[in-house]
Amino acid sequence: MSYSALSHLECPRCGACHDADLVHGTCGCGSPLLARYDLRAAAGLTSPQDIAGRPADLWRYHELLPVRAAGHVVTLGEGMTPMLAMPRLGKALGVPNLLMKDEGLLPTGTFKARGAAIGVSRAAELGVTAIAMPTNGNAGAAWAAYAARAEMRSLVVMPAAAPAIARAQCAAAGAELYLVEGLIGDAGRLIADAVARRGGYLNATTLGEPYRIEGKKTMGLEIAEQLGWRMPDVIVYPTGGGVGIIGIYKAFRELTELGWVRGGMPRLVAVQAAGCAPIVAAFGAGAAESEPWPDASTVAFGITVPKALGDFLILEAIYATGGTAVAVTDQALLADQREVARLEGSIICPEGAACFAAVRQLRESGWLAEADEVVVLNTGTGLIYPETMPADVPVLPASGSCA
Ligand SMILES: Cc1ncc(COP(=O)(O)O)c(C=O)c1O
Ligand SMILES: [Zn+2]
């Protein structure tokens, strides 16, 4: 019995096929590579009924994932995060069928654990012993943790302005960590140079290797399964490098081909911060690719990506599904981060909060209808961003009273 139905790697730009059992970065043409599966074989190996009986983690979809042998799985228990109804917030926003998939419960605190679990497992399976990556913080924290568990070395470079907790996470997991006075693109140049000069490292930059996206894809697989193998109307996603939105789109296309899911493709919404919105600008211009965003800055640090390698894939997913791209201000997203905690009790990350601010905007503009079933991805816990939730509270003397 095959654990994975992985067949080959395909270039979405030039169409070239590559051997999936060799270590690959991007295609010779510069495009990210996508993993392709023998879906007919997968359908013969498993079914939604079969999957329902498996453990509640993302490995339940192993036929649609790239790791070939169960023994190569590196796991910290990731996947099957809750899909929560948001009735009070939904009512306030005029979208009563509002759901939140809460990725804040994953190991390392963000959805980055999904990509790291699959990426590190597959890299280890192919014999890789060291990974290197530029990061806005959360991906580095996740890859460092999974690398530690796989007994792999990790080299991480992140902007000096990245959230402090991510530094601590990388350091604790034994990563070789550097801060750069710049943005993620500057970190990327340092990593590419180190990988070329040192040798022996896999460059695991966003979409620079083909398997991180396969981990992110499991968000889409879980959404479909948690809705009873049915599509929602709209999915709202905080978009930086775009791996999540591309992965969710890929999941739904694979499920559609398998015939496992009812309903049409959901409209995919890419949410960005007003201080870094290259995809929103490209979408507004009807363009197929984005232009680098100058002087990028937002409190939603994970989505500070001035130019994504996979921008054309993000835009394709939006155009193909009748979706849209929206920018929200830091002020608006911070206000909705507080609103989610106040009305629903959930402490979400600023990137996730940007999605709720976008839902508010899209409902006001009429793009979202009251009847739409809307799934928001909260990509991480707010607990790793304490500076976004300042609490000014009275201090009492021990002999005081709050009666
Ligand atoms: C919390 C959080 N949300 C969203 C993103 C954006 O991720 P993607 O590359 O899938 O667009 C990041 C990336 O760092 C992140 O850390
Ligand atoms: Zn190519």
Side-chain angles (χ1 to χ4, degrees):
M1 277 288 248
S2 298
Y3 190 70
S4 167
L6 178 66
S7 108
H8 61 281
L9 298 174
E10 186 182 271
C11 174
R13 184 174 276 153
C14 76
C17 282
H18 300 268
D19 184 347
D21 291 304
L22 299 175
V23 176
H24 284 287
T26 48
C27 183
C29 78
S31 165
L33 291 172
L34 298 177
R36 295 295 181 210
Y37 297 82
D38 181 344
L39 293 177
R40 196 185 287 263
L45 291 166
T46 190
S47 64
Q49 295 71 18
D50 183 33
I51 289 170
R54 295 180 179 173
D57 61 42
L58 61 73
W59 300 98
R60 66 204 271 115
Y61 308 109
H62 59 77
E63 289 86 354
L64 300 177
L65 296 173
V67 177
R68 293 222 189 260
H72 289 136
V73 166
V74 180
T75 181
L76 290 164
E78 55 288 333
M80 268 296 158
T81 53
M83 271 275 258
L84 301 171
M86 304 292 269
R88 292 186 70 203
L89 183 69
K91 192 167 170 219
L93 296 182
V95 185
N97 299 318
L98 181 64
L99 297 159
M100 175 173 80
K101 186 155 177 66
D102 194 1
E103 298 285 290
L105 279 80
L106 287 168
T108 75
T110 71
F111 77 120
K112 299 283 183 184
R114 294 181 187 271
I118 302 294
V120 167
S121 297
R122 181 66 178 147
E125 183 166 64
L126 293 175
V128 170
T129 57
I131 53 121
M133 67 186 319
T135 174
N136 270 336
N138 294 327
W143 282 70
Y146 284 85
R149 195 152 166 86
E151 285 189 72
M152 231 183 237
R153 281 172 299 140
S154 57
L155 168 66
V156 178
V157 182
M158 67 175 74
I165 188 75
R167 277 182 222 172
Q169 288 177 287
C170 289
E176 182 185 345
L177 175 67
Y178 300 92
L179 304 181
V180 58
E181 287 164 344
L183 292 177
I184 189 162
D186 302 298
R189 276 183 286 282
L190 289 169
I191 285 290
D193 179 56
V195 167
R197 289 215 239 172
R198 290 187 187 198
Y201 281 81
L202 173 74
N203 188 341
T205 186
T206 304
L207 289 168
E209 58 73 52
Y211 299 117
R212 187 201 295 209
I213 182 177
E214 296 303 296
K216 306 289 183 74
K217 183 177 89 177
T218 60
M219 290 187 283
L221 300 176
E222 288 179 19
I223 289 170
E225 185 178 2
Q226 288 172 316
L227 291 177
W229 299 102
R230 180 176 66 69
M231 306 277 204
D233 294 309
V234 176
I235 294 183
V236 187
Y237 186 83
T239 304
V243 194
I245 197 165
I246 301 166
I248 290 171
Y249 179 57
K250 187 170 189 285
F252 289 146
R253 291 192 57 174
E254 288 172 5
L255 289 178
T256 302
E257 212 177 316
L258 281 162
W260 285 1
V261 68
R262 283 173 289 127
M265 195 63 94
R267 285 130 70 202
L268 298 180
V269 179
V271 179
Q272 300 202 296
C276 182
I279 299 296
V280 178
F283 178 78
E289 288 184 20
S290 65
E291 294 299 322
W293 189 269
D295 303 323
S297 163
T298 166
V299 298
F301 204 80
I303 53 175
T304 319
V305 181
K307 168 76 180 167
L309 187 62
D311 55 358
F312 66 106
L313 297 172
I314 303 171
L315 287 157
E316 183 197 318
I318 300 170
Y319 292 132
T321 61
T324 190
V326 210
V328 301
T329 64
D330 280 5
Q331 193 187 10
L333 71 89
L334 289 171
D336 274 323
Q337 186 188 31
R338 280 192 295 276
E339 210 50 6
V340 172
R342 190 177 71 83
L343 292 177
E344 303 287 1
S346 185
I347 307 289
I348 66 170
C349 65
E351 295 83 356
C355 292
F356 288 105
V359 168
R360 185 184 292 280
Q361 249 169 250
L362 291 171
R363 183 69 188 100
E364 279 167 11
S365 74
W367 192 90
L368 279 177
E370 190 182 10
D372 280 332
E373 182 179 47
V374 178
V375 175
V376 161
L377 270 299
N378 172 46
T379 42
T381 172
L383 300 181
I384 58 177
Y385 293 88
E387 67 287 355
T388 61
M389 292 169 293
D392 188 15
V393 291
V395 180
L396 304 174
S399 59
S401 164
C402 53

